């Protein structure tokens, strides 16, 4: 799998972020609190959704009602885009999920992706 890009809105410390990943190995470096873990947690959320025991409040930016993570990657000669959203209601939950493979988009439940 080759990561291509990651887009975040209202995720942890990021209001709006777009990261284009270069070819080859990727090294995240920076000072404590610069957002390295936020990027890794966002990739994990895009691929697997909220994990057992993980709370949506660990991802959704404080004071915001929704958040979006969009991950573009290439695998087995397919271009894939996964989009997941978080929404604040009584608690913070996964809201929607979609997967697009080579331009064909499907809306699915958060567990089907």
């Amino acid at each position: 799998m080759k990561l291509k890009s990651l887009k975040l809105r209202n995720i942890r410390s990021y209001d709006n972020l777009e990261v284009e990943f270069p070819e080859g190995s990727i090294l995240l470096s920076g000072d404590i609190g610069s957002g390295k873990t936020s990027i890794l947690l966002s990739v994990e959320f895009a691929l697997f959704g909220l994990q057992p025991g993980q709370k949506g409040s660990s991802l959704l930016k404080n004071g915001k009602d929704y958040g979006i993570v969009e991950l573009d990657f290439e695998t087995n000669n397919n271009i894939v885009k996964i989009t997941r959203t978080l929404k604040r209601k009584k608690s913070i939950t996964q809201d929607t999920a979609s997967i697009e493979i080579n331009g064909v988009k499907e809306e699915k439940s958060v567990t089907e992706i």
Side-chain angles (χ1 to χ4, degrees), residues 8-14 35-46 49-64 66-67 69 86-88 91-94:
L8 308 178
R9 174 173 268 171
N10 298 329
I11 299 296
R12 292 177 57 104
S13 60
Y14 294 109
K36 304 175 298 290
T37 300
S38 296
I39 290 172
L40 294 174
L41 287 173
S42 297
V43 169
E44 178 187 43
F45 174 64
L50 289 176
Q51 296 301 293
Q54 183 182 24
K55 296 182 178 183
S57 60
S58 68
L59 286 173
L60 187 63
K61 185 173 179 136
N62 289 336
K64 299 297 182 179
Y66 72 97
V69 174
L86 293 166
K87 189 171 188 176
R88 182 183 308 274
S91 62
I92 299 168
T93 59
Q94 296 182 74

Side-chain angles (χ1 to χ4, degrees), residues 25-42:
S25 299
I26 300 167
L27 171 68
L28 300 176
S29 67
D31 291 336
I32 294 172
S34 63
K36 304 175 298 290
T37 300
S38 296
I39 290 172
L40 294 174
L41 287 173
S42 297

Side-chain angles (χ1 to χ4, degrees), residues 52-95:
Q54 183 182 24
K55 296 182 178 183
S57 60
S58 68
L59 286 173
L60 187 63
K61 185 173 179 136
N62 289 336
K64 299 297 182 179
D65 291 329
Y66 72 97
I68 300 169
V69 174
E70 184 178 286
L71 179 66
D72 293 304
F73 61 94
E74 183 179 335
T75 185
N76 298 328
N77 296 317
N78 292 307
I79 303 299
V80 180
K81 177 185 291 187
I82 296 177
T83 305
R84 290 187 188 263
T85 63
L86 293 166
K87 189 171 188 176
R88 182 183 308 274
K89 298 176 185 174
K90 289 182 179 181
S91 62
I92 299 168
T93 59
Q94 296 182 74
D95 190 39

